Amino acid sequence: MYLTFLHVPAPTFYQYGDKLFTFAQVGQWVVVVRAKDHVRDFYNAPEDVLSMEIAAEELLQLHHTVGRQFCDETYHIPAIKTSLNQNLAEILPKLVDEIERGFIDVVDSKLGNDGDWKPIRALDAFTRIICRSSNRVFVGLPLCRNDDYCKLTSHFSTNLLVCGPMIKFLLPEFLRPLAGIVFRAFFRHHERMLKHLRPLIRDRQNQRAHGGSEMNDMLTWLMDTAPADNEYSTESLAMRMLNVNFVAIHTTSKTFTHALYHLASKPFYVPILRAEAQKHLDDNELSSWTKEALGRCVKLDSFLKESQRLNGMGALWMPRMAVNDFTFSDGTKISPGTFVATAATAIHEDEEIYERPLDFEGFRFSTIREQRNDPKDHDNFEPDSDDDWKFRLTGTSPHCLPGRFFASLELKCLMAYLLLHYDVKTPVEGVRPPDEWFGPTSNPARNADILFRRIF
Ligand code: HEM
């Protein structure tokens, strides 16, 4: 049993072998799942037994911080699972266009024209670019470039992820509603979101009333998916859009920044990945980029996946709260109210699963895919021709993460654009900015600079 505030090294989790064990976090115990059979039991448990929603609600005190409506309505999930995923080819040109504009405004504006290396504060820069490009698909132009809207949507997750646990762990139950009122009055997330979205929603409603909207974005899909009595509730749509931004922006920004730190500290990957991008993507015609062409960038896919393997979201993933009695297949019982989570780092660094698990091997997964496909003919390798989903970025987990196809597309476009236009390196050659840990949660270094230079 451990009480920890800082880094939780994966070996901490190995000493218990394949057994379930409890882990002390500030304010609560968590049952940790690592062995294959336990992980399978965990994934197969239905929501009304091991609940993700209730775990998130409890950990982030969502009913106090953002209110019941944020938790209770969930129609953004089908909008992501069906409409967003079905429209990926359609939205791709807009996404790439906004990524280019984002790089021009956020990166090029710092580089000037002298061709010298210049420092870019990576996490901040890419959170801004990713917020813009994601929102080009969520709400379109011009709102996706509005400064206040971008600050609001990208800071929302940070505010929630910091203040929610503080309210839970520092305050007694009776003071939490009061803290929630202060949180809401101070940040005014919902009100500010309403201010930005109200005119847009009215406009869409008018278009729909006069024969349908031409728009193909998240706002339209939310309006299509909302229960009939909610379609015209501006409040509800604004809340859903906050939720979509909450799940999409910080996860993608952290994942991209981790990969950038790997690339910049191991720049020998740059020419190989750049050559692959040049082979499949036309740099002079960004609107010609397709899902299929990006799918052929198998080394890039592998590089991003390897980065996610070694530098994910932290030591414990996918928290669940037992809402009914649950029995694992080995007979271990847990009772309602117990938190359960998977030992993500320990699984990703397990030498029984990965060879040389602590080494970053950017082409670990593409090599496996190539060998499974046709070891003799890598040039004609056909990435989508077999059942190699496990070795792709989108196959990160047997659990169905609704945003993974969009996230994967966005990450590849961002990295391909970067490779085609910039050289990158770390200020101290070969030294990757160290991750920042708080308890079992990890983040890419927040204040690290990466040196950028335009290549033409
Ligand atoms: C690299 C980026 C991303 C990572 C690493 C990531 C990871 C995750 C994880 C670990 C969960 C929790 C799953 C669980 O506990 O079972 C989750 C949930 C979710 N993600 Fe993502 N995600 C990413 C991007 C996105 C994007 C871009 C979207 C939307 C466009 C999205 C939408 C969602 C939604 C809606 C849920 C909640 C699912 C539910 O309630 O059933 N994610 N994601």
Side-chain angles (χ1 to χ4, degrees):
M1 291 179 190
Y2 273 80
L3 180 69
T4 180
F5 293 93
L6 291 168
H7 186 186
V8 188
T12 303
F13 294 139
Y14 293 142
Q15 59 188 308
Y16 304 103
D18 277 353
K19 294 197 184 77
L20 289 160
F21 62 95
T22 48
F23 179 86
Q25 276 191 271
V26 187
Q28 83 194 18
W29 291 92
V30 182
V31 172
V32 181
V33 172
R34 185 177 84 87
K36 212 169 156 190
D37 289 347
H38 291 144
V39 173
R40 199 194 43 232
D41 299 339
F42 173 91
Y43 282 136
N44 289 339
E47 175 67 19
D48 61 0
V49 178
L50 294 184
S51 170
M52 175 174 78
E53 308 284 339
I54 295 182
E57 220 177 299
E58 181 59 27
L59 288 170
L60 301 177
Q61 294 290 296
L62 293 176
H63 39 295
H64 298 312
T65 47
V66 272
R68 286 241 72 88
Q69 194 181 22
F70 188 85
C71 321
D72 291 351
E73 291 178 350
T74 52
Y75 58 87
H76 63 290
I77 296 177
I80 293 168
K81 272 189 183 156
T82 50
S83 309
L84 177 63
N85 288 341
Q86 280 165 9
N87 280 288
L88 289 178
E90 176 104 355
I91 53 102
L92 183 57
K94 289 191 250 177
L95 184 70
V96 187
D97 179 59
E98 200 56 39
I99 285 173
E100 178 175 46
R101 300 302 178 100
F103 267 97
I104 292 169
D105 290 348
V106 177
V107 177
D108 291 0
S109 62
K110 291 251 165 64
L111 297 191
N113 295 321
D114 54 16
D116 281 352
W117 291 98
K118 299 275 166 53
I120 301 285
R121 188 61 48 104
L123 183 59
D124 177 58
F126 285 97
T127 303
R128 285 165 64 197
I129 295 175
I130 287 165
C131 186
R132 269 175 68 158
S133 57
S134 308
N135 273 286
R136 178 78 181 264
V137 176
F138 299 164
V139 292
L141 284 169
L143 190 54
C144 67
R145 293 185 192 163
N146 178 299
D147 250 7
D148 184 65
Y149 177 81
C150 286
K151 281 195 185 122
L152 161 64
T153 47
S154 53
H155 293 174
F156 174 62
S157 13
T158 321
N159 299 151
L160 207 54
L161 292 168
V162 171
C163 299
M166 277 170 62
I167 293 175
K168 174 172 165 60
F169 296 129
L170 300 181
L171 296 181
E173 195 118 20
F174 74 95
L175 280 180
R176 293 179 192 168
L178 189 66
I181 293 171
V182 174
F183 177 90
R184 290 208 295 265
F186 184 76
F187 292 113
R188 298 187 305 109
H189 295 118
H190 191 211
E191 248 174 279
R192 289 163 63 203
M193 196 70 175
L194 269 172
K195 190 190 96 196
H196 287 295
L197 286 186
R198 195 174 276 124
L200 204 60
I201 294 172
R202 286 223 183 102
D203 204 40
R204 299 288 169 85
Q205 287 165 344
N206 278 338
Q207 288 178 27
R208 290 161 86 88
H210 296 95
S213 156
E214 293 290 294
M215 297 304 295
N216 201 16
D217 60 15
M218 181 61 72
L219 185 57
T220 310
W221 305 324
L222 288 176
M223 291 174 96
D224 290 341
T225 322
D229 53 339
N230 258 338
E231 186 188 342
Y232 296 105
S233 160
T234 313
E235 283 72 19
S236 160
L237 288 167
M239 200 52 119
R240 281 314 86 210
M241 196 57 88
L242 259 181
N243 207 326
V244 172
N245 274 280
F246 172 62
V247 289
I249 308 298
H250 76 287
T251 44
T252 312
S253 311
K254 279 167 70 168
T255 305
F256 182 79
T257 307
H258 274 308
L260 173 61
Y261 288 168
H262 277 298
L263 187 71
S265 57
K266 304 164 200 62
F268 48 88
Y269 280 108
V270 170
I272 309 171
L273 292 170
R274 182 176 290 150
E276 184 186 63
Q278 281 166 337
K279 182 172 166 192
H280 299 297
L281 303 166
D282 183 351
D283 182 33
N284 297 316
E285 198 66 62
L286 296 184
S287 58
S288 70
W289 289 18
T290 61
K291 264 171 63 184
E292 291 69 26
L294 286 158
R296 286 180 188 281
C297 297
V298 286
K299 290 193 167 68
L300 176 57
D301 187 288
S302 172
F303 186 90
L304 291 165
K305 188 174 169 77
E306 176 71 345
S307 166
Q308 209 175 32
R309 180 183 73 83
L310 278 179
N311 304 85
M313 300 284 148
L316 298 176
W317 258 44
M318 301 191 162
R320 299 282 184 273
M321 189 190 245
V323 283
N324 273 303
D325 284 327
F326 178 68
T327 309
F328 284 92
S329 49
D330 65 357
T332 313
K333 288 194 168 80
I334 56 169
S335 46
T338 312
F339 272 98
V340 194
T342 56
T345 323
I347 295 169
H348 290 159
E349 296 179 9
D350 187 343
E351 58 189 11
E352 288 183 12
I353 306 176
Y354 300 101
E355 283 176 26
R356 298 171 300 284
L358 296 180
D359 295 349
F360 180 91
E361 294 182 6
F363 304 140
R364 179 187 292 275
F365 297 103
S366 52
T367 307
I368 300 174
R369 288 174 71 186
E370 284 162 0
Q371 283 163 354
R372 284 159 53 90
N373 194 272
D374 181 358
K376 291 180 225 74
D377 191 6
H378 287 185
D379 272 355
N380 290 324
F381 171 59
E382 187 52 61
D384 289 321
S385 64
D386 68 1
D387 63 341
D388 64 356
W389 65 270
K390 271 193 283 187
F391 310 107
R392 295 185 211 166
L393 185 59
T394 46
T396 41
S397 127
H399 206 67
C400 187
L401 297 179
R404 71 196 191 284
F405 295 106
F406 176 69
S408 154
L409 201 67
E410 191 172 26
L411 289 166
K412 284 185 196 164
C413 289
L414 283 156
M415 199 50 103
Y417 186 89
L418 185 150
L419 287 159
L420 293 169
H421 295 88
Y422 308 90
D423 280 329
V424 284
K425 64 178 183 181
T426 41
V428 182
E429 208 175 302
V431 178
R432 186 180 188 276
D435 291 355
E436 293 172 3
W437 285 80
F438 187 77
T441 307
S442 78
N443 283 298
R446 272 164 303 171
N447 295 321
D449 286 335
I450 293 299
L451 300 179
F452 274 70
R453 179 176 69 179
R454 245 194 112 87
I455 53 173
F456 49 80

